[in-house]
PDB file of all heavy atoms in Angstrom:
ATOM      1  N   LEU A   1      13.864  36.861   7.698  1.00 81.00           N
ATOM      2  CA  LEU A   1      14.350  37.773   8.762  1.00 81.00           C
ATOM      3  C   LEU A   1      13.518  39.079   8.759  1.00 81.00           C
ATOM      4  O   LEU A   1      13.442  39.752   9.696  1.00 81.00           O
ATOM      5  CB  LEU A   1      15.799  37.973   8.605  1.00 81.00           C
ATOM      6  CG  LEU A   1      16.584  36.741   8.910  1.00 81.00           C
ATOM      7  CD1 LEU A   1      18.181  37.104   8.466  1.00 81.00           C
ATOM      8  CD2 LEU A   1      16.607  36.370  10.288  1.00 81.00           C
ATOM      9  N   ALA A   2      13.035  39.491   7.596  1.00 81.00           N
ATOM     10  CA  ALA A   2      12.297  40.737   7.433  1.00 81.00           C
ATOM     11  C   ALA A   2      10.957  40.783   8.175  1.00 81.00           C
ATOM     12  O   ALA A   2      10.653  41.549   8.970  1.00 81.00           O
ATOM     13  CB  ALA A   2      12.165  41.127   5.980  1.00 81.00           C
ATOM     14  N   THR A   3      10.175  39.821   7.904  1.00 80.00           N
ATOM     15  CA  THR A   3       8.805  39.628   8.452  1.00 80.00           C
ATOM     16  C   THR A   3       8.420  38.305   8.872  1.00 80.00           C
ATOM     17  O   THR A   3       8.906  37.292   8.110  1.00 80.00           O
ATOM     18  CB  THR A   3       7.707  40.145   7.415  1.00 80.00           C
ATOM     19  OG1 THR A   3       7.817  39.308   6.238  1.00 80.00           O
ATOM     20  CG2 THR A   3       7.942  41.574   7.017  1.00 80.00           C
ATOM     21  N   PRO A   4       7.730  38.059   9.894  1.00 79.00           N
ATOM     22  CA  PRO A   4       7.301  36.743  10.328  1.00 79.00           C
ATOM     23  C   PRO A   4       6.455  36.006   9.408  1.00 79.00           C
ATOM     24  O   PRO A   4       6.536  34.730   9.250  1.00 79.00           O
ATOM     25  CB  PRO A   4       6.748  36.974  11.684  1.00 79.00           C
ATOM     26  CG  PRO A   4       6.785  38.251  12.073  1.00 79.00           C
ATOM     27  CD  PRO A   4       7.283  39.079  10.816  1.00 79.00           C
ATOM     28  N   PHE A   5       5.540  36.789   8.593  1.00 84.00           N
ATOM     29  CA  PHE A   5       4.725  36.092   7.640  1.00 84.00           C
ATOM     30  C   PHE A   5       5.458  35.359   6.567  1.00 84.00           C
ATOM     31  O   PHE A   5       5.235  34.174   6.217  1.00 84.00           O
ATOM     32  CB  PHE A   5       3.653  37.160   7.072  1.00 84.00           C
ATOM     33  CG  PHE A   5       2.901  36.496   6.002  1.00 84.00           C
ATOM     34  CD1 PHE A   5       1.832  35.611   6.283  1.00 84.00           C
ATOM     35  CD2 PHE A   5       3.210  36.919   4.705  1.00 84.00           C
ATOM     36  CE1 PHE A   5       1.057  35.116   5.241  1.00 84.00           C
ATOM     37  CE2 PHE A   5       2.448  36.271   3.699  1.00 84.00           C
ATOM     38  CZ  PHE A   5       1.390  35.464   3.905  1.00 84.00           C
ATOM     39  N   TRP A   6       6.450  36.109   5.979  1.00 84.00           N
ATOM     40  CA  TRP A   6       7.227  35.523   4.855  1.00 84.00           C
ATOM     41  C   TRP A   6       8.097  34.346   5.438  1.00 84.00           C
ATOM     42  O   TRP A   6       8.491  33.442   4.684  1.00 84.00           O
ATOM     43  CB  TRP A   6       8.044  36.559   4.124  1.00 84.00           C
ATOM     44  CG  TRP A   6       7.036  37.350   3.220  1.00 84.00           C
ATOM     45  CD1 TRP A   6       6.665  38.618   3.375  1.00 84.00           C
ATOM     46  CD2 TRP A   6       6.309  36.881   2.103  1.00 84.00           C
ATOM     47  NE1 TRP A   6       5.753  39.014   2.420  1.00 84.00           N
ATOM     48  CE2 TRP A   6       5.600  37.880   1.607  1.00 84.00           C
ATOM     49  CE3 TRP A   6       6.292  35.661   1.426  1.00 84.00           C
ATOM     50  CZ2 TRP A   6       4.710  37.742   0.485  1.00 84.00           C
ATOM     51  CZ3 TRP A   6       5.527  35.530   0.305  1.00 84.00           C
ATOM     52  CH2 TRP A   6       4.777  36.571  -0.285  1.00 84.00           C
ATOM     53  N   GLY A   7       8.580  34.502   6.629  1.00 83.00           N
ATOM     54  CA  GLY A   7       9.353  33.405   7.189  1.00 83.00           C
ATOM     55  C   GLY A   7       8.492  32.164   7.341  1.00 83.00           C
ATOM     56  O   GLY A   7       9.028  31.152   6.988  1.00 83.00           O
ATOM     57  N   LEU A   8       7.271  32.267   7.762  1.00 86.00           N
ATOM     58  CA  LEU A   8       6.359  31.158   7.760  1.00 86.00           C
ATOM     59  C   LEU A   8       6.096  30.510   6.539  1.00 86.00           C
ATOM     60  O   LEU A   8       6.132  29.285   6.255  1.00 86.00           O
ATOM     61  CB  LEU A   8       5.122  31.444   8.462  1.00 86.00           C
ATOM     62  CG  LEU A   8       4.177  30.361   8.776  1.00 86.00           C
ATOM     63  CD1 LEU A   8       4.824  29.336   9.697  1.00 86.00           C
ATOM     64  CD2 LEU A   8       2.846  30.899   9.487  1.00 86.00           C
ATOM     65  N   VAL A   9       5.960  31.413   5.434  1.00 86.00           N
ATOM     66  CA  VAL A   9       5.579  30.929   4.135  1.00 86.00           C
ATOM     67  C   VAL A   9       6.856  30.238   3.493  1.00 86.00           C
ATOM     68  O   VAL A   9       6.615  29.091   2.991  1.00 86.00           O
ATOM     69  CB  VAL A   9       5.225  32.152   3.250  1.00 86.00           C
ATOM     70  CG1 VAL A   9       5.146  31.772   1.699  1.00 86.00           C
ATOM     71  CG2 VAL A   9       3.881  32.729   3.594  1.00 86.00           C
ATOM     72  N   THR A  10       8.040  30.732   3.677  1.00 86.00           N
ATOM     73  CA  THR A  10       9.129  30.109   3.181  1.00 86.00           C
ATOM     74  C   THR A  10       9.499  28.779   3.915  1.00 86.00           C
ATOM     75  O   THR A  10       9.816  27.794   3.269  1.00 86.00           O
ATOM     76  CB  THR A  10      10.411  31.067   3.182  1.00 86.00           C
ATOM     77  OG1 THR A  10      10.742  31.393   4.476  1.00 86.00           O
ATOM     78  CG2 THR A  10      10.216  32.173   2.334  1.00 86.00           C
ATOM     79  N   TYR A  11       9.263  28.797   5.254  1.00 86.00           N
ATOM     80  CA  TYR A  11       9.428  27.445   5.973  1.00 86.00           C
ATOM     81  C   TYR A  11       8.540  26.458   5.510  1.00 86.00           C
ATOM     82  O   TYR A  11       8.952  25.306   5.370  1.00 86.00           O
ATOM     83  CB  TYR A  11       9.266  27.808   7.517  1.00 86.00           C
ATOM     84  CG  TYR A  11       9.473  26.613   8.334  1.00 86.00           C
ATOM     85  CD1 TYR A  11      10.761  25.980   8.536  1.00 86.00           C
ATOM     86  CD2 TYR A  11       8.464  25.980   9.020  1.00 86.00           C
ATOM     87  CE1 TYR A  11      10.946  24.941   9.309  1.00 86.00           C
ATOM     88  CE2 TYR A  11       8.583  24.910   9.867  1.00 86.00           C
ATOM     89  CZ  TYR A  11       9.883  24.381   9.939  1.00 86.00           C
ATOM     90  OH  TYR A  11       9.959  23.235  10.683  1.00 86.00           O
ATOM     91  N   ILE A  12       7.259  26.706   5.435  1.00 88.00           N
ATOM     92  CA  ILE A  12       6.330  25.787   4.837  1.00 88.00           C
ATOM     93  C   ILE A  12       6.655  25.308   3.501  1.00 88.00           C
ATOM     94  O   ILE A  12       6.563  24.161   3.066  1.00 88.00           O
ATOM     95  CB  ILE A  12       4.806  26.336   4.890  1.00 88.00           C
ATOM     96  CG1 ILE A  12       4.493  26.518   6.532  1.00 88.00           C
ATOM     97  CG2 ILE A  12       3.874  25.457   4.333  1.00 88.00           C
ATOM     98  CD1 ILE A  12       3.189  26.990   6.728  1.00 88.00           C
ATOM     99  N   GLY A  13       7.075  26.266   2.727  1.00 87.00           N
ATOM    100  CA  GLY A  13       7.476  25.966   1.331  1.00 87.00           C
ATOM    101  C   GLY A  13       8.617  25.066   1.161  1.00 87.00           C
ATOM    102  O   GLY A  13       8.639  24.073   0.404  1.00 87.00           O
ATOM    103  N   VAL A  14       9.655  25.197   2.058  1.00 86.00           N
ATOM    104  CA  VAL A  14      10.825  24.319   2.046  1.00 86.00           C
ATOM    105  C   VAL A  14      10.422  22.983   2.553  1.00 86.00           C
ATOM    106  O   VAL A  14      10.779  21.997   1.985  1.00 86.00           O
ATOM    107  CB  VAL A  14      11.933  24.828   2.981  1.00 86.00           C
ATOM    108  CG1 VAL A  14      12.922  23.832   3.362  1.00 86.00           C
ATOM    109  CG2 VAL A  14      12.540  26.041   2.381  1.00 86.00           C
ATOM    110  N   LEU A  15       9.529  22.898   3.569  1.00 87.00           N
ATOM    111  CA  LEU A  15       8.990  21.541   4.034  1.00 87.00           C
ATOM    112  C   LEU A  15       8.093  20.871   3.058  1.00 87.00           C
ATOM    113  O   LEU A  15       8.160  19.668   2.854  1.00 87.00           O
ATOM    114  CB  LEU A  15       8.229  21.718   5.328  1.00 87.00           C
ATOM    115  CG  LEU A  15       8.977  22.088   6.553  1.00 87.00           C
ATOM    116  CD1 LEU A  15       8.062  22.213   7.786  1.00 87.00           C
ATOM    117  CD2 LEU A  15      10.026  21.075   6.871  1.00 87.00           C
ATOM    118  N   TYR A  16       7.355  21.668   2.208  1.00 90.00           N
ATOM    119  CA  TYR A  16       6.485  20.961   1.241  1.00 90.00           C
ATOM    120  C   TYR A  16       7.282  20.609   0.061  1.00 90.00           C
ATOM    121  O   TYR A  16       7.038  19.601  -0.506  1.00 90.00           O
ATOM    122  CB  TYR A  16       5.309  21.993   0.949  1.00 90.00           C
ATOM    123  CG  TYR A  16       4.432  21.384  -0.140  1.00 90.00           C
ATOM    124  CD1 TYR A  16       3.504  20.469   0.228  1.00 90.00           C
ATOM    125  CD2 TYR A  16       4.494  21.807  -1.467  1.00 90.00           C
ATOM    126  CE1 TYR A  16       2.722  19.938  -0.673  1.00 90.00           C
ATOM    127  CE2 TYR A  16       3.482  21.445  -2.422  1.00 90.00           C
ATOM    128  CZ  TYR A  16       2.642  20.512  -1.911  1.00 90.00           C
ATOM    129  OH  TYR A  16       1.840  19.881  -2.900  1.00 90.00           O
ATOM    130  N   LEU A  17       8.111  21.510  -0.508  1.00 87.00           N
ATOM    131  CA  LEU A  17       8.811  21.181  -1.781  1.00 87.00           C
ATOM    132  C   LEU A  17       9.966  20.199  -1.596  1.00 87.00           C
ATOM    133  O   LEU A  17      10.435  19.519  -2.632  1.00 87.00           O
ATOM    134  CB  LEU A  17       9.227  22.551  -2.346  1.00 87.00           C
ATOM    135  CG  LEU A  17       8.197  23.481  -2.942  1.00 87.00           C
ATOM    136  CD1 LEU A  17       8.809  24.705  -3.338  1.00 87.00           C
ATOM    137  CD2 LEU A  17       7.252  22.748  -3.899  1.00 87.00           C
ATOM    138  N   ARG A  18      10.630  20.175  -0.450  1.00 86.00           N
ATOM    139  CA  ARG A  18      11.679  19.323  -0.047  1.00 86.00           C
ATOM    140  C   ARG A  18      12.852  19.393  -1.102  1.00 86.00           C
ATOM    141  O   ARG A  18      13.107  18.467  -1.905  1.00 86.00           O
ATOM    142  CB  ARG A  18      11.215  17.903   0.011  1.00 86.00           C
ATOM    143  CG  ARG A  18      10.255  17.707   1.018  1.00 86.00           C
ATOM    144  CD  ARG A  18       9.841  16.235   1.194  1.00 86.00           C
ATOM    145  NE  ARG A  18       8.611  16.163   2.017  1.00 86.00           N
ATOM    146  CZ  ARG A  18       8.266  15.024   2.650  1.00 86.00           C
ATOM    147  NH1 ARG A  18       9.072  14.038   2.622  1.00 86.00           N
ATOM    148  NH2 ARG A  18       7.276  15.118   3.388  1.00 86.00           N
ATOM    149  N   PRO A  19      13.541  20.492  -1.192  1.00 83.00           N
ATOM    150  CA  PRO A  19      14.576  20.603  -2.214  1.00 83.00           C
ATOM    151  C   PRO A  19      15.798  19.773  -1.660  1.00 83.00           C
ATOM    152  O   PRO A  19      16.613  19.368  -2.528  1.00 83.00           O
ATOM    153  CB  PRO A  19      14.972  22.040  -2.072  1.00 83.00           C
ATOM    154  CG  PRO A  19      14.603  22.554  -0.748  1.00 83.00           C
ATOM    155  CD  PRO A  19      13.366  21.647  -0.477  1.00 83.00           C
ATOM    156  N   MET A  20      15.818  19.283  -0.515  1.00 82.00           N
ATOM    157  CA  MET A  20      16.936  18.383  -0.031  1.00 82.00           C
ATOM    158  C   MET A  20      16.847  17.000  -0.715  1.00 82.00           C
ATOM    159  O   MET A  20      17.788  16.367  -0.984  1.00 82.00           O
ATOM    160  CB  MET A  20      16.949  18.152   1.430  1.00 82.00           C
ATOM    161  CG  MET A  20      17.199  19.416   2.243  1.00 82.00           C
ATOM    162  SD  MET A  20      15.776  20.539   2.457  1.00 82.00           S
ATOM    163  CE  MET A  20      14.640  19.537   3.268  1.00 82.00           C
ATOM    164  N   GLU A  21      15.537  16.633  -1.128  1.00 85.00           N
ATOM    165  CA  GLU A  21      15.470  15.420  -1.751  1.00 85.00           C
ATOM    166  C   GLU A  21      15.538  15.380  -3.249  1.00 85.00           C
ATOM    167  O   GLU A  21      16.008  14.469  -3.853  1.00 85.00           O
ATOM    168  CB  GLU A  21      14.045  14.697  -1.530  1.00 85.00           C
ATOM    169  CG  GLU A  21      14.023  14.345   0.021  1.00 85.00           C
ATOM    170  CD  GLU A  21      12.636  13.630   0.348  1.00 85.00           C
ATOM    171  OE1 GLU A  21      11.939  13.447  -0.571  1.00 85.00           O
ATOM    172  OE2 GLU A  21      12.374  13.486   1.500  1.00 85.00           O
ATOM    173  N   VAL A  22      15.345  16.605  -3.788  1.00 84.00           N
ATOM    174  CA  VAL A  22      15.555  16.693  -5.265  1.00 84.00           C
ATOM    175  C   VAL A  22      17.014  16.984  -5.601  1.00 84.00           C
ATOM    176  O   VAL A  22      17.551  16.496  -6.547  1.00 84.00           O
ATOM    177  CB  VAL A  22      14.741  17.979  -5.684  1.00 84.00           C
ATOM    178  CG1 VAL A  22      14.969  18.395  -7.200  1.00 84.00           C
ATOM    179  CG2 VAL A  22      13.243  17.883  -5.483  1.00 84.00           C
ATOM    180  N   TYR A  23      17.760  17.757  -4.733  1.00 82.00           N
ATOM    181  CA  TYR A  23      19.100  18.003  -4.993  1.00 82.00           C
ATOM    182  C   TYR A  23      19.788  17.359  -3.762  1.00 82.00           C
ATOM    183  O   TYR A  23      19.960  17.944  -2.648  1.00 82.00           O
ATOM    184  CB  TYR A  23      19.463  19.448  -5.024  1.00 82.00           C
ATOM    185  CG  TYR A  23      18.695  20.130  -6.256  1.00 82.00           C
ATOM    186  CD1 TYR A  23      17.519  20.941  -5.996  1.00 82.00           C
ATOM    187  CD2 TYR A  23      19.013  19.875  -7.493  1.00 82.00           C
ATOM    188  CE1 TYR A  23      16.976  21.525  -7.020  1.00 82.00           C
ATOM    189  CE2 TYR A  23      18.398  20.508  -8.576  1.00 82.00           C
ATOM    190  CZ  TYR A  23      17.282  21.387  -8.345  1.00 82.00           C
ATOM    191  OH  TYR A  23      16.685  21.899  -9.404  1.00 82.00           O
ATOM    192  N   PRO A  24      20.409  16.243  -3.870  1.00 84.00           N
ATOM    193  CA  PRO A  24      20.957  15.527  -2.566  1.00 84.00           C
ATOM    194  C   PRO A  24      22.129  16.219  -1.973  1.00 84.00           C
ATOM    195  O   PRO A  24      22.397  16.179  -0.875  1.00 84.00           O
ATOM    196  CB  PRO A  24      21.461  14.259  -3.194  1.00 84.00           C
ATOM    197  CG  PRO A  24      20.656  14.000  -4.443  1.00 84.00           C
ATOM    198  CD  PRO A  24      20.335  15.293  -4.958  1.00 84.00           C
ATOM    199  N   PHE A  25      22.884  17.103  -2.693  1.00 82.00           N
ATOM    200  CA  PHE A  25      23.918  17.907  -2.222  1.00 82.00           C
ATOM    201  C   PHE A  25      23.499  18.893  -1.273  1.00 82.00           C
ATOM    202  O   PHE A  25      24.343  19.415  -0.355  1.00 82.00           O
ATOM    203  CB  PHE A  25      24.798  18.477  -3.210  1.00 82.00           C
ATOM    204  CG  PHE A  25      24.067  19.467  -4.096  1.00 82.00           C
ATOM    205  CD1 PHE A  25      24.152  20.891  -3.612  1.00 82.00           C
ATOM    206  CD2 PHE A  25      23.500  19.201  -5.249  1.00 82.00           C
ATOM    207  CE1 PHE A  25      23.496  21.904  -4.427  1.00 82.00           C
ATOM    208  CE2 PHE A  25      22.843  20.130  -6.061  1.00 82.00           C
ATOM    209  CZ  PHE A  25      22.860  21.534  -5.594  1.00 82.00           C
ATOM    210  N   LEU A  26      22.215  19.229  -1.222  1.00 79.00           N
ATOM    211  CA  LEU A  26      21.661  20.193  -0.206  1.00 79.00           C
ATOM    212  C   LEU A  26      21.340  19.647   1.147  1.00 79.00           C
ATOM    213  O   LEU A  26      21.073  20.353   2.193  1.00 79.00           O
ATOM    214  CB  LEU A  26      20.419  20.932  -0.813  1.00 79.00           C
ATOM    215  CG  LEU A  26      20.597  21.832  -1.909  1.00 79.00           C
ATOM    216  CD1 LEU A  26      19.207  22.296  -2.533  1.00 79.00           C
ATOM    217  CD2 LEU A  26      21.482  22.945  -1.603  1.00 79.00           C
ATOM    218  N   SER A  27      21.272  18.215   1.095  1.00 81.00           N
ATOM    219  CA  SER A  27      20.795  17.574   2.523  1.00 81.00           C
ATOM    220  C   SER A  27      21.896  17.890   3.577  1.00 81.00           C
ATOM    221  O   SER A  27      21.567  17.772   4.767  1.00 81.00           O
ATOM    222  CB  SER A  27      20.689  16.116   2.197  1.00 81.00           C
ATOM    223  OG  SER A  27      21.958  15.549   1.919  1.00 81.00           O
ATOM    224  N   GLN A  28      23.024  18.185   3.295  1.00 86.00           N
ATOM    225  CA  GLN A  28      24.196  18.444   4.382  1.00 86.00           C
ATOM    226  C   GLN A  28      23.936  19.778   4.971  1.00 86.00           C
ATOM    227  O   GLN A  28      24.534  20.018   6.074  1.00 86.00           O
ATOM    228  CB  GLN A  28      25.491  18.360   3.806  1.00 86.00           C
ATOM    229  CG  GLN A  28      25.837  19.344   2.763  1.00 86.00           C
ATOM    230  CD  GLN A  28      27.137  19.178   2.093  1.00 86.00           C
ATOM    231  OE1 GLN A  28      27.939  18.235   2.515  1.00 86.00           O
ATOM    232  NE2 GLN A  28      27.491  19.785   1.047  1.00 86.00           N
ATOM    233  N   PHE A  29      23.069  20.707   4.462  1.00 83.00           N
ATOM    234  CA  PHE A  29      22.968  22.016   4.953  1.00 83.00           C
ATOM    235  C   PHE A  29      21.861  22.222   5.928  1.00 83.00           C
ATOM    236  O   PHE A  29      21.716  23.249   6.643  1.00 83.00           O
ATOM    237  CB  PHE A  29      22.848  23.064   3.905  1.00 83.00           C
ATOM    238  CG  PHE A  29      24.015  23.191   2.972  1.00 83.00           C
ATOM    239  CD1 PHE A  29      23.947  22.758   1.618  1.00 83.00           C
ATOM    240  CD2 PHE A  29      25.222  23.553   3.530  1.00 83.00           C
ATOM    241  CE1 PHE A  29      25.014  22.945   0.808  1.00 83.00           C
ATOM    242  CE2 PHE A  29      26.359  23.698   2.649  1.00 83.00           C
ATOM    243  CZ  PHE A  29      26.314  23.282   1.238  1.00 83.00           C
ATOM    244  N   HIS A  30      20.951  21.285   6.107  1.00 85.00           N
ATOM    245  CA  HIS A  30      19.817  21.250   7.036  1.00 85.00           C
ATOM    246  C   HIS A  30      19.010  22.539   6.731  1.00 85.00           C
ATOM    247  O   HIS A  30      18.722  23.424   7.599  1.00 85.00           O
ATOM    248  CB  HIS A  30      20.283  21.203   8.496  1.00 85.00           C
ATOM    249  CG  HIS A  30      21.066  20.049   8.912  1.00 85.00           C
ATOM    250  ND1 HIS A  30      20.592  18.802   9.016  1.00 85.00           N
ATOM    251  CD2 HIS A  30      22.468  19.826   9.063  1.00 85.00           C
ATOM    252  CE1 HIS A  30      21.495  17.955   9.134  1.00 85.00           C
ATOM    253  NE2 HIS A  30      22.607  18.654   9.231  1.00 85.00           N
ATOM    254  N   ILE A  31      18.460  22.666   5.611  1.00 84.00           N
ATOM    255  CA  ILE A  31      17.867  23.885   5.090  1.00 84.00           C
ATOM    256  C   ILE A  31      16.542  24.264   5.954  1.00 84.00           C
ATOM    257  O   ILE A  31      16.323  25.222   6.335  1.00 84.00           O
ATOM    258  CB  ILE A  31      17.503  23.830   3.625  1.00 84.00           C
ATOM    259  CG1 ILE A  31      18.740  23.624   2.781  1.00 84.00           C
ATOM    260  CG2 ILE A  31      16.610  24.831   3.068  1.00 84.00           C
ATOM    261  CD1 ILE A  31      18.564  23.442   1.285  1.00 84.00           C
ATOM    262  N   ALA A  32      15.732  23.168   6.145  1.00 85.00           N
ATOM    263  CA  ALA A  32      14.583  23.422   7.034  1.00 85.00           C
ATOM    264  C   ALA A  32      14.843  24.006   8.384  1.00 85.00           C
ATOM    265  O   ALA A  32      14.100  24.831   8.896  1.00 85.00           O
ATOM    266  CB  ALA A  32      13.830  22.058   7.037  1.00 85.00           C
ATOM    267  N   ARG A  33      15.848  23.495   8.987  1.00 87.00           N
ATOM    268  CA  ARG A  33      16.259  23.997  10.339  1.00 87.00           C
ATOM    269  C   ARG A  33      16.813  25.412  10.251  1.00 87.00           C
ATOM    270  O   ARG A  33      16.417  26.263  11.036  1.00 87.00           O
ATOM    271  CB  ARG A  33      17.378  23.128  10.925  1.00 87.00           C
ATOM    272  CG  ARG A  33      17.755  23.466  12.370  1.00 87.00           C
ATOM    273  CD  ARG A  33      18.719  22.527  12.956  1.00 87.00           C
ATOM    274  NE  ARG A  33      18.254  21.257  12.954  1.00 87.00           N
ATOM    275  CZ  ARG A  33      19.030  20.098  13.058  1.00 87.00           C
ATOM    276  NH1 ARG A  33      20.271  20.235  13.105  1.00 87.00           N
ATOM    277  NH2 ARG A  33      18.522  19.030  13.024  1.00 87.00           N
ATOM    278  N   ILE A  34      17.558  25.694   9.148  1.00 85.00           N
ATOM    279  CA  ILE A  34      17.974  27.186   8.979  1.00 85.00           C
ATOM    280  C   ILE A  34      16.787  28.019   8.782  1.00 85.00           C
ATOM    281  O   ILE A  34      16.797  29.112   9.419  1.00 85.00           O
ATOM    282  CB  ILE A  34      19.015  27.171   7.721  1.00 85.00           C
ATOM    283  CG1 ILE A  34      20.272  26.471   8.156  1.00 85.00           C
ATOM    284  CG2 ILE A  34      19.364  28.652   7.408  1.00 85.00           C
ATOM    285  CD1 ILE A  34      21.204  26.319   6.984  1.00 85.00           C
ATOM    286  N   PHE A  35      15.880  27.645   8.068  1.00 84.00           N
ATOM    287  CA  PHE A  35      14.740  28.540   7.733  1.00 84.00           C
ATOM    288  C   PHE A  35      13.788  28.749   8.985  1.00 84.00           C
ATOM    289  O   PHE A  35      13.232  29.675   9.254  1.00 84.00           O
ATOM    290  CB  PHE A  35      13.781  28.035   6.587  1.00 84.00           C
ATOM    291  CG  PHE A  35      14.417  28.619   5.286  1.00 84.00           C
ATOM    292  CD1 PHE A  35      15.167  27.773   4.376  1.00 84.00           C
ATOM    293  CD2 PHE A  35      14.112  29.823   4.905  1.00 84.00           C
ATOM    294  CE1 PHE A  35      15.584  28.277   3.264  1.00 84.00           C
ATOM    295  CE2 PHE A  35      14.643  30.337   3.707  1.00 84.00           C
ATOM    296  CZ  PHE A  35      15.384  29.483   2.891  1.00 84.00           C
ATOM    297  N   GLY A  36      13.763  27.621   9.837  1.00 85.00           N
ATOM    298  CA  GLY A  36      12.942  27.660  11.040  1.00 85.00           C
ATOM    299  C   GLY A  36      13.572  28.572  12.048  1.00 85.00           C
ATOM    300  O   GLY A  36      12.864  29.434  12.606  1.00 85.00           O
TER     301      GLY A  36
END
């Protein structure tokens, strides 16, 4: 929310690292959509 650059970095990081697959309980929160 502070700067668009870090927003893009975190969004790409979430898409690349896929924490929803590592921790299945996070899949219900739609993390990539929230960061987007």
Side-chain angles (χ1 to χ4, degrees):
L1 289 171
T3 59
F5 173 75
W6 286 110
L8 185 63
V9 168
T10 56
Y11 179 69
I12 290 173
V14 166
L15 289 180
Y16 180 72
L17 296 176
R18 298 180 192 205
M20 295 78 62
E21 293 181 9
V22 176
Y23 303 106
F25 64 89
L26 292 176
S27 63
Q28 62 186 349
F29 297 117
H30 304 287
I31 295 173
R33 185 177 300 158
I34 292 170
F35 276 102

